[in-house]
Amino acid sequence: MKETKEFQTESKQLLNLMINSIYTNKEIFLRELISNASDAIDKYKYLQLTSEGKLAVKDYEIYLKVDKGNRTLTIKDNGIGMSHDDLVNSLGTIASSGSKEFLKKYKEAKDSEDLNIIGQFGVGFYSAFMVADKIEVLTKTVDDKAYKFSSDGVKEYTIEEDNKEDTGTEIKLFLKEDKEDEDYSKFLEYYTLEDLVKRYSDYIRYPIKLDEVTKTPKKDEKGEEIKDEFDEVVETKTLNSMIPLWKKNKKDVTDEEMEKFYKDKFSDYEKPFTSLFLNVDGIVKYNALIFIPSHAPYNLYSENYEKGLDLYSKGIFVKEKCKELVPDYLKFVKGLVDSDDFDLNISREMLQSSPLLRRIEDNIEKKILDKLKEIKNNDYDKYLEFFKTFGDHFKYAIYQTYGAKKEQLQDLLVFNALHNEKPISFKDYVSNMKEDQKYIYYASGKSLDYIKMLPQIEKYKKDGIEVLLLDKKIDEFAIMMMGDYDKKEFKNIASEESNELSKEEKDNLDILIAENKRILDDIKEGLNGKVDEVTFSSKLVDSPVCITTKNGLSLNMENTLNEEARENNFTDDVKATKVLEINPNHELFKAFDAIKDNDEEIKLYGSILYDEALMLEGYEVEDKKEFITKLNKLMLKSLK
Ligand code: ADP
C-alpha cells in the first residue's frame, strides 16, 4: 500500500528556505549524503558490537552508482537503514534529528564513545533537492520490512513497501535538467565525483567506492580496431584515503608527511616555514594541523583574502577557512581543526562564532606564538626570515588593539639597530643597556639610510649607545601603543624630551640662549610658522642643525599620517610640534656673528638651515623654488 503524506507547513517553509538560500554551493549535497551514510554505518556497527553475535559483521562501505541513461546518482550504504517510522520522523520532518534521538537512546551505553554521529540538525538530506527534482530512498533496518520513500521535495512524499535484502539505504537522485548556468550532468561524471569526495569526504573512515568505466576500441582477429565498437572495463575504485593525517599518532607523523600534506592541501609549491601538530585533550578536545607558509600568500594584502582554518568535525569536513579560528594578525596561517565537540547546526556553511571556537582560537594562537618563540630562541636567523615576511602583522596587532596584545607579542618583535649588525629584540636591547641609561632609544625615518644620517644620531654613535632603527611606517605607532618595555620607556632620539641634561649643562644652555635671543627670534620669525621654537641643541656633534619634535608626535609620524590622509582623500593637516635646534659649536653658527645685526640676513640663512635639516632627516624641502632662489642669491653674493 502506498501512503502519501504532506510535509508539515514549517518543514515546507524550511525546505524552501534552505534550497534557495542557505547552501551557496550545491555540490555539498554529496558531502551531506555521504556523511549520513557514514553515520548510518557507525550506528549499525555499534548495534552489531552490542548484539552478542546476532548481527553479522559486514564489509562496511559507501557506494556511489551512476546511471547516465536515466540521469541518476545513487548513494548506497550498508548501515543501519530506516524503519517506516524513521522515514516519517527523519525524512518526513525537517529539523528533527534522528541522530540526536539515536544518541539519546544509547547515551547510557558504555561503548557510546565509539559512536561518531555527525549532524545535529535535520537538513542535510534535503540539500540533495538542490540538484535533484526527485529522490527515492530504498531502505531496510534490522527488524522491519524494506520501504521506498519518494518525494519531489515540494509538498509531499510517498512511502511504500519494497524489496531489499541487506540492511542499509540507497538514495537515488534524479538529477535536474541542465540549465544555461547550471550543470547538473557533471554529477554523473567520474572525475567530478572523485574530486568532490577527495575534497569534502576524504577522511570518512569507510571506503567510498565508485566504478570507473574505461572504454577501449574492440579489435578484430587481425588486431585491427573495429569502428564504433568498444570493450568496457569496469574497475571499482575507492576514492577516499580514509585516515586523516591529524588523527594519526603525533609521533608517527613525519615532517615529510606534514610537508606533503601542506603542499597538496594548500597548493603551495614551497614547504611551510614551520608546522604544528596539535593534539589537545583539555576542556576542549581537538586535533589541528597548523602551517606557517614560508612566503606570504599572493593575495594576502588584497581585500578578498580570506583568513581561517578549515573546520572538521569527527573527520567530516564542515567549512573551509573558518575565520573564527585565527586572530586577524595571524591571517597568513593555514591549517585545519578537527574536534569531536561540535554540534553541527543548521548551516555548516556559516558556522558562527561559538564559545567553543573562541576557546580553540585562543589555544591555537598561544601554541603558534609559543612555537615562534621557540624558533626565535633556538634558530635566530630562521626567525629573522619569518619576521621579515610576517613581522609587521604583530606590530599592527599591538597598535590596533591599543596595546592589548603587548604582553603576548612584544618579545616576538625585532628591530634593526644602530650598533648591532642583526636586528635585535627589546630583551636584547635592555640587557645591553648602559648602567645609567634610563630609556630605550629609537630613531624613525623613511629608510635605514636616512635614519643613520639623522643629525641627532651622531651623539649615540659617538657614545656607543644602542638605538633601534624604525624604518617601517607602523613601527613608531606600535611602540607608542606599548609605552614601555620591562618598565623602560621608549624615547625617540629626535624628540626634545630625549635631552637629558645635567643642571650645569642646562644653565649654560640657558645663558647661551639669552645671549643670542635676537638671532633665535629672527630665525623663528623668518620661518613663518614652520617651526614652533628655535633653540640651541645639546645633542649635535657634526651637523649644524636638526629638527626635533615635542609632545609625542614625530616628524615621521606626521609624514605617515598625512600620506595616509592624502591616499584616502582626507585633509592632510596633522602637525607635529617642531623645534629647530642649532648646534652652537658648529662653525656655521659661529659665523653668524658677522651678521648678528642684520635681521634680514639672519632670516635668510636661518631658513636655509631649516631646509637643510629637513633634507638631512629624509624629507622634501617644502618649497623647492624658493629654496633655489635663496641658494642662487647666496652664490651670487659670494661669487661677486
Ligand atoms: P542530519 O543528518 O543532520 O540529522 P538529515 O536530514 O541529513 O539530517 O537526516 C535526517 C535523519 O535521517 C538522520 O539523522 C538519520 O536518522 C536519517 N538518515 C539520513 N540518511 C540516512 C541513511 N543513509 N541511513 C540511515 N538513516 C539516515
Side-chain angles (χ1 to χ4, degrees), residues 32-33 35-37 39-40 43 77 80-82 86 90-91 96-100 118-126 139 168-169 171 344 348:
E32 297 296 318
L33 297 186
S35 132
N36 279 347
D39 276 0
K43 290 176 193 170
D77 68 68
I80 194 166
M82 281 175 273
D86 289 338
S90 302
L91 300 191
S96 94
S97 178
S99 303
K100 211 176 216 166
I118 342 151
Q120 297 291 310
F121 205 85
V123 293
F125 169 77
Y126 286 90
T139 183
T169 304
I171 297 181
L344 294 187
R348 296 175 189 187

Side-chain angles (χ1 to χ4, degrees), residues 52-53 107 124 139 188 250 272 302 421 428 517 570 616:
E52 293 171 340
K107 207 166 65 184
T139 183
L188 297 168
K250 194 171 162 175
S302 87
E421 208 181 305
D428 298 333
K517 191 167 180 319
F570 295 124
L616 276 173

Side-chain angles (χ1 to χ4, degrees), residues 12-65:
K12 274 187 276 187
Q13 285 164 347
L14 256 164
L15 194 57
N16 198 327
L17 197 86
M18 197 227 21
I19 292 174
N20 293 311
S21 70
I22 289 179
Y23 291 104
T24 40
N25 43 340
K26 302 194 165 179
E27 65 196 27
I28 54 89
F29 80 90
L30 190 64
R31 175 191 77 189
E32 297 296 318
L33 297 186
I34 288 175
S35 132
N36 279 347
S38 169
D39 276 0
I41 298 176
D42 275 349
K43 290 176 193 170
Y44 180 88
K45 219 168 137 182
Y46 177 75
L47 265 194
Q48 194 282 324
L49 283 170
T50 51
S51 73
E52 293 171 340
K54 284 198 205 92
L55 292 179
V57 181
K58 304 196 231 181
D59 283 334
Y60 302 109
E61 65 179 25
I62 298 164
Y63 222 116
L64 309 182
K65 290 239 174 238

Side-chain angles (χ1 to χ4, degrees), residues 572-623:
D572 50 344
D573 53 4
V574 175
K575 254 190 148 7
T577 312
K578 298 186 193 91
V579 180
L580 182 68
E581 291 192 12
I582 295 172
N583 183 352
N585 304 317
H586 198 280
E587 46 181 355
L588 252 185
F589 176 71
K590 290 187 177 144
F592 265 66
D593 206 40
I595 52 163
K596 67 173 189 290
D597 298 321
N598 187 336
D599 294 328
E600 288 316 305
E601 294 262 289
I602 294 173
K603 283 181 196 170
L604 174 68
Y605 285 100
S607 83
I608 291 180
L609 279 181
Y610 171 76
D611 288 337
E612 187 175 301
L614 271 184
M615 280 191 275
L616 276 173
E617 306 198 13
Y619 300 97
E620 298 272 323
V621 169
E622 285 148 22
D623 189 338

